[in-house]
Amino acid sequence: MIRSVVRGFGAALPKRVMTNREMEDVVDTSDEWIVQRTGIRQRHIASDDETTSSLGERAARAALDKAGLTPSDIDLIICATSTPDNTFPATAVNIQNRLGMHHGFAFDVQAVCTGFVYAVTTADAYIRGGLARRALVIGAETFSRILDWNDRTTCVLFGDGAGAIVIEAAEGEGTTADRGILTAHLRSDGSHKEKLFVDGGPSTTGTVGKLRMEGREVFKYAVGMITDVIQAAFDSTGTTAEDLDWLVPHQANRRIIDGSAKKLHIAPEKVVITVDMHGNTSAASIPLALATAAGDGRIKKGDLVMLEAMGGGFTWGALLLRW
């Protein structure tokens, strides 16, 4: 059978780092309060000349370099983002153009923080269906552009950045020993919209809007939803937490990550944590964490890796792959 195997990975972060101490000069908060409740110590903030597509391009080029490939080798680009350069065209098309790529096809996926899991699952379906052989999957965000910098409950949480992977078709035996994507489980429930949303849009206000969140409500649902899809991934493959080498979660809140891992009996040393360095970068969160852990040698060829996320909508999902 056809499996979608990871060939390369890459990351890009804005030059500016904003620490919690600097946040104290912006809103009524403290480093101690932010760290205790979220685990975040700093985040990267895009400058005026850094956009979602420019960060996505940098991450894409790094992933292609790691894979030993060029844009001419790619058939498909999917960019997961909630902060596109324009209402249209898709940011993926902008990245395609920036890469000098004039063939294949490109489009965006919008599932907020779960966007990268949705995008990788979509690319896998195109590859297994024979519509593409190699795909560049990118998560890129400039969430600083949609934050209310007077709202201390949200502006301290988010940052900007991009991550990318290259996946390609390979032959597998149809077992969990195969390299590549083994299973994916996606969910959504629009009845929770008011708990995490942006209060603007082309067809409603004609403005970009600002991010609004009921933090306690999101936290209340998060652990249960995350553990649901992770358990579904284990059940569908006959694997368990003991078989897992790495959990690479969406980096929203350290307490949510720790609570989910504990509920699933996943050892803390198997969990990749980057929320302290990057904050919540929405769809860029998982590929940034992947690039960090694969880049420093923790994630190695043959490792069993679980990706999971939950985002506005609500959307949530999990994907199990062998690196």
Side-chain angles (χ1 to χ4, degrees):
M1 66 180 296
I2 298 296
R3 295 289 196 191
S4 300
V5 175
V6 177
R7 276 285 303 271
F9 56 87
L13 291 162
K15 295 182 286 292
R16 182 188 174 196
V17 176
M18 188 176 191
T19 65
N20 289 348
R21 296 295 182 194
E22 291 177 80
M23 275 289 181
E24 294 174 0
D25 298 328
V26 177
V27 289
D28 182 17
T29 191
S30 69
D31 174 65
E32 181 183 14
W33 187 92
I34 298 170
V35 172
Q36 182 181 44
R37 285 164 176 77
T38 70
I40 299 168
R41 297 184 181 277
Q42 64 176 42
R43 73 286 294 148
H44 292 251
I45 303 295
S47 60
D48 290 344
D49 63 346
E50 291 174 315
T51 64
T52 298
S53 65
S54 73
L55 293 169
E57 178 199 0
R58 284 172 49 201
R61 289 190 184 279
L64 287 167
D65 287 346
K66 194 73 176 178
L69 300 170
T70 69
S72 64
D73 298 310
I74 300 298
D75 308 302
L76 165 64
I77 299 175
I78 303 179
C79 181
T81 187
S82 297
T83 51
D85 288 11
N86 308 97
T87 301
F88 69 84
T91 298
V93 174
N94 290 343
I95 294 171
Q96 179 190 33
N97 184 54
R98 295 175 74 104
L99 292 171
M101 178 179 159
H102 305 291
H103 65 278
F105 60 116
F107 60 91
D108 288 354
V109 165
Q110 215 286 50
V112 200
C113 301
T114 320
F116 188 74
V117 176
Y118 271 56
V120 174
T121 303
T122 303
D124 175 51
Y126 276 104
I127 287 172
R128 288 187 293 106
L131 292 174
R133 176 162 176 76
R134 292 193 185 96
L136 185 55
V137 186
I138 304 160
E141 302 281 17
T142 46
F143 253 55
S144 62
R145 308 280 208 255
I146 58 170
L147 296 178
D148 179 350
W149 289 93
N150 295 311
D151 180 3
R152 67 174 184 168
T153 65
T154 57
C155 72
V156 302
L157 303 177
F158 295 90
D160 304 330
I165 60 172
V166 175
I167 58 176
E168 72 172 8
E171 292 286 338
E173 298 295 326
T175 73
T176 57
D178 290 347
R179 288 186 65 210
I181 296 167
L182 303 177
T183 191
H185 300 266
L186 307 178
R187 309 272 193 272
S188 67
D189 184 347
S191 67
H192 298 288
K193 174 196 167 184
E194 298 300 322
K195 298 179 179 68
L196 179 53
F197 71 108
V198 169
D199 61 1
S203 74
T204 52
T205 64
T207 64
V208 173
K210 300 296 182 184
L211 184 148
R212 307 299 177 194
M213 180 172 72
E214 298 175 11
R216 289 184 179 179
E217 286 296 300
V218 174
F219 188 92
K220 184 172 75 175
Y221 285 94
V223 172
M225 288 177 165
I226 289 165
T227 54
D228 163 58
V229 284
I230 291 176
Q231 190 60 55
F234 283 142
D235 292 345
S236 68
T237 54
T239 56
T240 67
E242 287 71 31
D243 300 314
L244 198 65
D245 292 297
W246 296 103
L247 172 65
V248 184
H250 167 50
Q251 307 288 318
N253 183 301
R254 180 66 188 260
R255 291 193 296 168
I256 293 174
I257 295 170
D258 290 345
S260 302
K262 183 177 181 180
K263 188 173 179 179
L264 288 158
H265 306 291
I266 298 172
E269 59 270 19
K270 292 183 175 182
V271 183
V272 175
I273 301 290
T274 57
V275 68
D276 56 327
M277 301 184 294
H278 302 152
N280 182 346
T281 55
S282 190
S285 160
I286 289 176
L288 278 170
L290 269 177
T292 299
D296 65 22
R298 276 178 288 172
I299 296 178
K300 301 179 292 296
K301 182 177 179 180
D303 281 354
L304 192 62
V305 181
M306 181 79 75
L307 314 182
E308 63 82 358
M310 174 196 169
F314 288 149
T315 63
W316 64 105
L319 183 149
L320 186 66
L321 64 90
R322 192 167 295 281
W323 196 256

